[in-house]
């Protein structure tokens, strides 16, 4: 292989590794957010069923409580994961732009 092909292959491999790491970090961030949200949603849901007549009548069955808690946790998972993906993509694009600017500066300076 030529040197240019090897460099482009290494660049693709590096980008793939960064994408894999970013998706893993986003999944972990989403999982943490979902766990916190599930606990923060479950406590008032169960407390309201015990204290409120309306909640006992309408949310007394386990399915209703489960739907409320899982909906909130699911939304938190996807929102936190998406925020992490956007944050990491901005970080990586800024790093790439700085590297490009630095390489262009060194090329123009050497000429």
């Amino acid at each position: 292989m030529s040197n240019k092909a090897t460099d482009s292959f290494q660049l693709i491999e590096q980008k793939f590794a960064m994408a894999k790491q970013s998706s893993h970090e986003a999944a972990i961030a989403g999982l943490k957010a979902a766990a916190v949200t599930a606990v923060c949603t479950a406590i008032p849901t169960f407390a309201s069923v015990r204290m409120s007549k309306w909640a006992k009548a309408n949310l007394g069955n386990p399915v209703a409580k489960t739907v409320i808690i899982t909906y909130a946790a699911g939304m938190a998972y996807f929102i936190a994961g998406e925020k992490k993906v956007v944050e990491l993509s901005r970080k990586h694009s800024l790093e790439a732009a700085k590297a490009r600017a630095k390489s262009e500066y060194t090329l123009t300076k050497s000429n």
Side-chain angles (χ1 to χ4, degrees):
M1 265 193 223
S2 70
N3 192 19
K4 196 170 197 173
T6 305
D7 290 344
S8 66
F9 181 73
Q10 288 174 346
L11 182 64
I12 291 170
E13 286 290 321
Q14 182 183 13
K15 285 183 179 184
F16 180 71
M18 285 183 357
K20 191 174 180 180
Q21 181 182 1
S22 295
S23 65
H24 179 72
E25 287 181 32
I28 296 298
L31 184 63
K32 288 178 183 178
V36 169
T37 304
V39 170
C40 292
T41 306
I43 293 169
T45 301
F46 287 115
S48 66
V49 169
R50 290 202 180 260
M51 295 180 197
S52 171
K53 289 181 182 179
W54 178 87
K56 188 178 282 187
N58 293 302
L59 303 176
N61 61 350
V63 174
K65 292 179 234 174
T66 304
V67 167
I68 291 170
I69 296 165
T70 55
Y71 183 77
M75 292 302 296
Y77 177 83
F78 287 111
I79 290 170
E82 186 64 27
K83 284 177 69 174
K84 189 67 170 181
V85 166
V86 169
E87 173 190 330
L88 290 172
S89 71
R90 283 182 184 157
K91 177 183 161 192
H92 294 310
S93 67
L94 285 174
E95 288 172 358
K98 286 178 184 177
R100 272 194 311 273
K102 185 178 179 182
S103 68
E104 289 174 5
Y105 175 73
T106 56
L107 286 175
T108 57
K109 191 175 180 181
S110 65
N111 290 336

